[in-house]
Amino acid sequence: MLLPDSRVYVAGHTGLAGSAICRRLEAEGHRNLLLRTHTELELTDDGAVERFFAAEKPSHVILAAAKVGGIAANAAFPAEFLSVNLRIAANVIESAWRHGAEKLLYLASSCIYPRLTPQPIREEALLTGPLEPTNEAYAIAKIAGLKLCQAYRRQHGFDAIVAMPTNLYGPQDRFDPEAGHVLPALLRRFHEAKETDAPDVTVWGSGSPRRDFLHADDLAAACLAMLRGYSDEMPVNIGSGGDTSIRDLAFLIAEITGYRGAITFDSSRPDGTPEKRLDITRITALGWRPAIDLRSGIEQTYRWYRENCARETATV
């Protein structure tokens, strides 16, 4: 049972999802969080991970650490996206079970679903068709982590559960215009275009793909609902319940950032999966609902970016 004094290890606590989960845990009175930066604990090093779990013996583990990126990064570094994420999952799940963790929550990703599948996507759609080629390496690694959780549950009775977040955004995101995910990458590009009075901004792809965007704070609330009320091998979708086109997203971000130049779409660039909207029946059955609408979430994220990143990225 997750209690205020439970020893909770959040792997990846400095990232987008992990930092949101930590904020939520702390807001609800959890003060016994076990946190290690990448330099303090290298999760691809099985010996280091084993020693950490042997010494700290967390009761609950939230595996939010991963090598992540957008279409460009996935295309450029498939070996790293596959090998790093495989090793992280294998090391953390094995050590958590071996050292008596009560429960583990693994964050997979909605990108592991087939490229073409009925919408909204139900959890049963997993492995029913080919993956999207632009993120295949990352998706395969995340599928392997999901299957590893199921295998430890079946063979060892380990209470490992899996969340399937949709496209996340929020504070602590990577606002990288080339390697980042679409929403934070566009937020930075439109901000910089406004600051430099650029006459136009070019967006990758046709703008027609539709995506389900969820604020990281909403994900955090869903993760705690799962830790407290879910125990099954079936993964659980976590999404907003809706979707928006990349074209509409670009114009919304332009409006929020105050950019007034032209917006063009480069159809020679890959679109990725045509449509991705999650069925969230399972998570809402636990009493969770998303609380942050897309406009409000982007406005909040943009404020955070201006206060924490804008000056730094302007000099890059």
Side-chain angles (χ1 to χ4, degrees):
M1 182 180 297
L2 183 63
L3 301 171
D5 61 349
S6 295
R7 294 174 63 78
V8 183
Y9 171 46
V10 182
H13 75 282
T14 62
L16 171 62
S19 62
I21 291 168
C22 287
R23 288 195 300 272
R24 185 76 183 202
L25 285 165
E26 290 169 349
E28 296 190 11
H30 294 269
R31 295 291 180 266
N32 206 359
L33 303 185
L34 305 174
L35 308 176
R36 298 292 187 277
T37 64
H38 177 74
T39 55
E40 292 170 329
L41 178 58
E42 173 52 70
L43 295 179
T44 62
D45 182 339
D46 57 347
V49 175
E50 171 71 15
R51 290 189 293 274
F52 167 77
F53 275 88
E56 299 294 345
K57 291 185 167 52
S59 63
H60 292 75
V61 177
I62 301 169
L63 182 42
K67 181 175 180 61
V68 299
I71 288 178
N74 274 269
F77 306 107
E80 287 88 343
F81 275 90
L82 182 54
S83 65
V84 169
N85 288 306
L86 283 173
R87 284 182 284 164
I88 289 173
N91 292 342
V92 174
I93 294 168
E94 164 72 17
S95 289
W97 164 72
R98 184 179 298 280
H99 293 285
E102 178 184 330
K103 199 178 193 81
L104 178 143
L105 171 62
Y106 176 70
L107 268 63
S109 169
S110 61
C111 77
I112 72 178
Y113 285 119
R115 181 176 189 274
L116 301 175
T117 191
Q119 305 288 320
I121 306 171
R122 294 178 56 83
E123 291 87 350
E124 291 83 358
L126 182 64
L127 296 176
T128 59
L131 298 169
E132 163 58 41
T134 58
N135 57 27
E136 184 181 64
Y138 179 75
I140 288 172
K142 284 296 184 178
I143 292 170
L146 181 158
K147 289 298 181 181
L148 199 56
C149 287
Q150 292 178 336
Y152 273 78
R153 174 179 287 275
R154 294 172 187 176
Q155 183 174 338
H156 301 298
F158 183 38
D159 192 4
I161 57 176
V162 179
M164 304 273 264
T166 188
N167 298 67
L168 300 175
Y169 70 97
Q172 301 293 132
D173 211 336
R174 293 180 63 208
F175 298 87
D176 188 320
E178 300 298 330
H181 288 120
V182 61
L183 194 155
L186 288 177
L187 200 60
R188 174 175 170 179
R189 291 182 63 204
F190 277 106
H191 169 80
E192 293 180 349
K194 180 195 70 172
E195 294 296 300
T196 60
D197 291 321
D200 61 83
V201 171
T202 299
V203 179
W204 271 31
S206 66
S208 63
R210 303 188 67 83
R211 294 291 182 268
D212 179 356
F213 294 101
L214 185 74
H215 194 283
D217 287 345
D218 276 337
L219 168 72
C223 287
L224 265 64
M226 287 185 65
L227 283 169
R228 290 171 176 146
Y230 189 76
S231 180
D232 193 87
E233 71 170 40
M234 178 65 77
V236 177
N237 287 338
I238 303 178
S240 70
D243 64 1
T244 190
S245 72
I246 299 303
R247 176 178 294 274
D248 288 345
L249 176 70
F251 280 98
L252 175 60
I253 290 175
E255 180 184 340
I256 289 170
T257 58
Y259 176 71
R260 302 188 185 282
I263 302 173
T264 58
F265 295 85
D266 182 359
S267 296
S268 70
R269 300 288 193 169
D271 271 337
T273 301
E275 185 176 9
K276 189 169 62 175
R277 177 167 57 95
L278 298 183
D279 183 303
I280 57 173
T281 302
R282 278 193 170 86
I283 187 63
T284 56
L286 296 178
W288 174 88
R289 294 287 190 284
I292 304 171
D293 67 85
L294 186 59
R295 174 181 285 274
S296 299
I298 295 176
E299 290 173 343
Q300 181 236 51
T301 302
Y302 184 46
R303 286 194 297 272
W304 186 92
Y305 172 79
R306 293 201 314 272
E307 293 166 4
N308 294 274
C309 304
R311 187 174 303 172
E312 173 185 331
T313 57
T315 64
V316 173

